[in-house]
């Protein structure tokens, strides 16, 4: 039976991971759930983030997924270990893959991390980075305005540049980092704007590629990669407004012709 890979996020951000999964694993079917209605998770309490993440996971578990990707740094920071402990399927988060990718790229061992208030508060990135190398220096910065901006579909232009410029000023002024981790899956959607603001001397890292590679390795290890001939069918669910969600997804997948034949978008009603 062709079981799908499940992917969860607080909104549209995890679609950047989905995009990479579709590229690296084109035979696999995906089921995505974005909790757009309750986005952002970043400013919420640990308890709320855990409860919401479990609700998302349960929704997808009912759809018989074979692996769960927590494509949200905030949810990964607070709930990954718990999910791993209690679920019988493999669970993959985005923080360790992002940290690994950054360590590959840095030359001066000085890495910047930007993310939601929750992710930065959790200290999950410095921990993950220092578990790879104790000699790394890490500068972290919370960017609470980026997720609402992305969820509204403001991805480039003067308004986006101004907001990104003002927020990243403290990191830019320190002028030490040579690698910047986008520690939130929403941020790759404004990567060009971030790169422009932070400067071309800094390598900007999104964890999507490395996360998709990890999914592929794990499925291969468990002999669960789909090898049949049926074309993949992807189902995207949002708890929120369908219009904006559909517009942003079309923007992300605009270059993949097959996307429009293989994806259906539906409203998810969670039991809360
Ligand atoms: N994409 C989520 C993350 O990676 C967004 C967080 C939020 O909802 O605030 O952290």
């Amino acid at each position: 039976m062709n079981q799908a890979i499940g992917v969860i996020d607080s909104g549209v951000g995890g679609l950047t991971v989905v995009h990479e999964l579709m590229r690296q694993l084109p035979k696999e079917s995906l089921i995505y759930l974005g909790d757009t209605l309750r986005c952002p998770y970043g400013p919420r309490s640990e308890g709320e983030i855990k409860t919401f993440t479990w609700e998302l996971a349960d929704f997808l578990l009912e759809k018989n997924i074979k692996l769960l990707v927590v494509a949200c740094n905030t949810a990964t920071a607070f709930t990954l270990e718990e999910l791993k402990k209690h679920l019988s399927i493999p669970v993959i988060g985005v923080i360790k893959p992002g940290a690994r990718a950054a360590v590959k790229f840095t030359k001066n061992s000085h890495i910047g991390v930007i993310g939601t208030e929750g992710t930065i508060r959790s200290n999950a990135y410095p921990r993950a980075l220092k578990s790879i190398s104790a000699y790394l220096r890490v500068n972290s910065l919370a960017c609470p305005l980026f997720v609402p901006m992305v969820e509204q579909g403001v991805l480039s232009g003067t308004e986006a540049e101004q907001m990104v410029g003002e927020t990243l000023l403290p990191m830019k002024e320190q002028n030490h980092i040579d690698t910047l981790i986008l520690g939130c899956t929403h941020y790759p959607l404004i990567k060009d704007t971030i790169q422009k603001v932070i400067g071309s001397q800094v390598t900007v890292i999104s964890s999507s590629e490395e996360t998709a590679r990890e999914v592929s390795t794990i499925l291969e290890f468990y002999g669960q990669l789909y090898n049949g001939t049926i074309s993949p069918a992807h189902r995207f669910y949002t708890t929120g407004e369908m219009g904006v969600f559909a517009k942003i997804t079309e923007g992300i997948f605009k270059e993949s012709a097959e996307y429009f034949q293989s994806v259906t978008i539906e409203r998810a009603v969670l039991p809360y």
Side-chain angles (χ1 to χ4, degrees), residues 229-245:
T229 51
I230 302 168
S231 305
H234 308 301
R235 267 177 295 160
F236 291 0
Y237 292 90
T238 170
T239 54
E241 218 253 292
M242 297 273 288
V244 186
F245 185 86

Side-chain angles (χ1 to χ4, degrees), residues 72-223:
C72 173
N73 291 264
T74 316
T76 299
F78 292 103
T79 324
L80 184 73
E81 290 315 315
E82 213 177 278
L83 289 166
K84 274 182 152 174
K85 199 165 141 199
H86 291 101
L87 299 190
S88 56
I89 55 169
V91 186
I92 291 176
V94 279
I95 292 183
K96 281 193 179 147
R100 271 201 302 272
V103 172
K104 263 190 227 165
F105 279 98
T106 186
K107 293 202 168 57
N108 70 358
S109 299
H110 200 155
I111 295 172
V113 181
I114 53 173
T116 67
E117 292 148 292
T119 301
I120 299 303
R121 181 170 25 101
S122 75
N123 234 10
Y125 269 102
R127 258 203 318 275
L129 287 163
K130 294 204 172 176
S131 74
I132 302 172
S133 164
Y135 298 107
L136 293 168
R137 280 173 301 165
V138 185
N139 279 40
S140 306
L141 180 71
C143 305
L145 299 178
F146 289 3
V147 170
M149 187 176 90
V150 169
E151 288 285 329
Q152 280 157 26
V154 181
L155 306 179
S156 56
T158 328
E159 194 189 337
E161 260 173 55
Q162 197 175 336
M163 192 176 292
V164 172
E166 280 168 19
T167 308
L168 294 188
L169 202 60
M171 191 155 279
K172 203 172 150 61
E173 276 176 354
Q174 287 159 359
N175 202 21
H176 297 309
I177 59 160
D178 72 347
T179 307
L180 177 67
I181 301 177
L182 303 182
C184 171
T185 51
H186 279 69
Y187 300 176
L189 294 167
I190 48 169
K191 187 177 177 185
D192 292 349
T193 309
I194 291 173
Q195 184 78 70
K196 198 166 162 185
V197 166
I198 202 78
S200 56
Q201 75 289 357
V202 177
T203 308
V204 175
I205 305 278
S206 114
S207 55
S208 337
E209 271 178 43
E210 196 75 19
T211 303
R213 241 191 306 278
E214 189 164 328
V215 171
S216 165
T217 310
I218 299 281
L219 288 180
E220 180 152 24
F221 179 79
Y222 287 110

